[in-house]
Amino acid sequence: MAEKSSPVQSLDRAFDIMERLCEARDGLTIHTLTEMTGLHKSTVHRMLSAMVTRGYVRKDEETNKYRMTTRLYALAGQVVENLDLVQIARGPMEHLRNEVGETVHLVVPDGSDIVYVHKVEAENSAIRMFSRIGMRRPMYCTGVGKAILASLSDEEVNAIWEQSDIQPYTQHTIVTRERLQDVLGAIRRRGYAFDNEENELGVRCIAAAIYDYTGRACGAISLSAPLMRMTDTYLAQLQPHLMAARDRISRDMGWMG
């Protein structure tokens, strides 16, 4: 009797076959795929035939093995090209602002700097952050910048440090490589960064790097507020909200972490 399955079940089986083929360097026969997936031989053959017709799979007539083509790679490239960090982050940033009532920033790395590319201002706040879209700041003196730096290797961090014009923007700014290394180590352990008036007096922030499909930091998100409100206790309350927004944006950017 022929196997009966719903459209969703058929799709799930097709993905199972495709994933097995993607993992096989030398290709797989129908017999091997049948054993690996537990599907009936006729089902495997039918799905492979459809994949061959669509150009996702090709059959080696000499070995009778099936292999994936580069069509999936081409499609993935188109998806990546169409990823827009600002567009993807806008909704989660607004949700985060509405949850906690604080200003949310989004930045991307550019050389040794970060560039502010989106901002969701806190509502009903008498204090406005000096940040603006398009503004550049050095990585070493910002929470968002340090979050990105912490995702890099020591060699990459040293290269960015050498490219930076190190200066104390406030009395709290990190101005030695040794101090920066210590701070980055702490960020790597806990997964998020702080800006303790290092970039702007009277302002503290908590920040986390955003990752893309390659696992690299493609940007960072932060919550900023006046020092008088940003106590250690309040920062601890903000942290899970920030990380949830960061995870949502990263997943939508293709991160599998």
Side-chain angles (χ1 to χ4, degrees):
M1 181 179 295
E3 289 179 313
K4 294 182 180 180
S5 62
S6 67
V8 173
Q9 189 178 42
S10 295
L11 186 60
D12 188 58
R13 290 170 174 174
F15 278 125
D16 192 14
I17 291 172
M18 292 179 73
E19 289 171 358
R20 301 284 185 172
L21 288 174
C22 286
E23 296 168 355
R25 179 185 296 271
D26 299 322
L28 297 170
T29 64
I30 290 180
H31 176 74
T32 302
L33 279 167
T34 298
E35 291 184 337
M36 294 176 73
T37 61
L39 298 174
H40 194 277
K41 182 178 179 180
S42 62
T43 300
V44 174
H45 183 268
R46 184 176 67 252
M47 291 184 174
L48 284 173
S49 297
M51 293 175 194
V52 169
T53 300
R54 296 295 294 267
Y56 291 97
V57 172
R58 66 177 178 85
K59 180 183 179 182
D60 187 324
E61 296 297 338
E62 293 185 2
T63 64
N64 287 324
K65 290 184 176 181
Y66 291 82
R67 292 180 174 84
M68 295 299 299
T69 68
T70 58
R71 182 164 171 74
L72 271 183
Y73 181 81
L75 289 179
Q78 293 173 4
V79 171
V80 170
E81 288 179 1
N82 290 328
L83 287 178
D84 184 331
L85 177 59
V86 174
Q87 184 64 31
I88 287 173
R90 184 174 284 115
M93 289 176 67
E94 291 177 356
H95 178 75
L96 178 60
R97 188 275 312 276
N98 294 339
E99 271 191 324
V100 302
E102 304 295 355
T103 298
V104 188
H105 290 109
L106 176 69
V107 308
V108 295
D110 186 14
S112 60
D113 296 336
I114 52 93
V115 179
Y116 289 83
V117 294
H118 192 50
K119 176 182 181 180
V120 182
E121 198 84 53
E123 294 179 340
N124 304 318
S125 176
I127 300 176
R128 287 288 182 265
M129 304 292 123
F130 85 112
S131 57
R132 64 183 185 280
I133 305 304
M135 187 176 73
R136 304 175 70 93
R137 300 300 285 170
M139 284 196 193
Y140 72 90
C141 68
T142 57
V144 282
K146 289 184 295 180
I148 293 171
L149 284 174
S151 74
L152 304 177
S153 67
D154 289 340
E155 292 75 15
E156 290 172 311
V157 172
N158 288 335
I160 289 174
W161 180 267
E162 293 296 333
Q163 296 167 15
S164 302
D165 177 19
I166 307 301
Q167 56 180 292
Y169 288 91
T170 75
Q171 62 266 41
H172 306 290
T173 304
I174 296 172
V175 292
T176 68
R177 191 179 319 200
E178 293 72 22
R179 174 58 180 157
L180 179 64
Q181 289 174 335
D182 290 342
V183 170
L184 294 182
I187 295 170
R188 288 165 181 150
R189 288 190 294 273
R190 64 176 175 252
Y192 50 91
F194 296 120
D195 178 346
N196 294 309
E197 296 187 279
E198 297 159 52
N199 182 48
E200 180 183 3
L201 285 175
V203 174
R204 292 185 79 186
C205 86
I206 180 172
I210 295 168
Y211 299 95
D212 64 13
Y213 71 103
T214 69
R216 297 275 295 182
C218 60
I221 188 174
S222 70
L223 286 167
S224 303
L227 179 65
M228 67 185 80
R229 195 159 66 243
M230 276 292 209
T231 63
D232 290 343
T233 299
Y234 187 41
L235 282 169
Q237 294 171 354
L238 293 176
Q239 181 263 331
H241 298 282
L242 174 74
M243 300 306 283
R246 187 285 301 270
D247 289 349
R248 178 180 169 189
I249 298 168
S250 294
R251 284 195 300 270
D252 288 345
M253 289 296 292
W255 184 52
M256 300 296 288

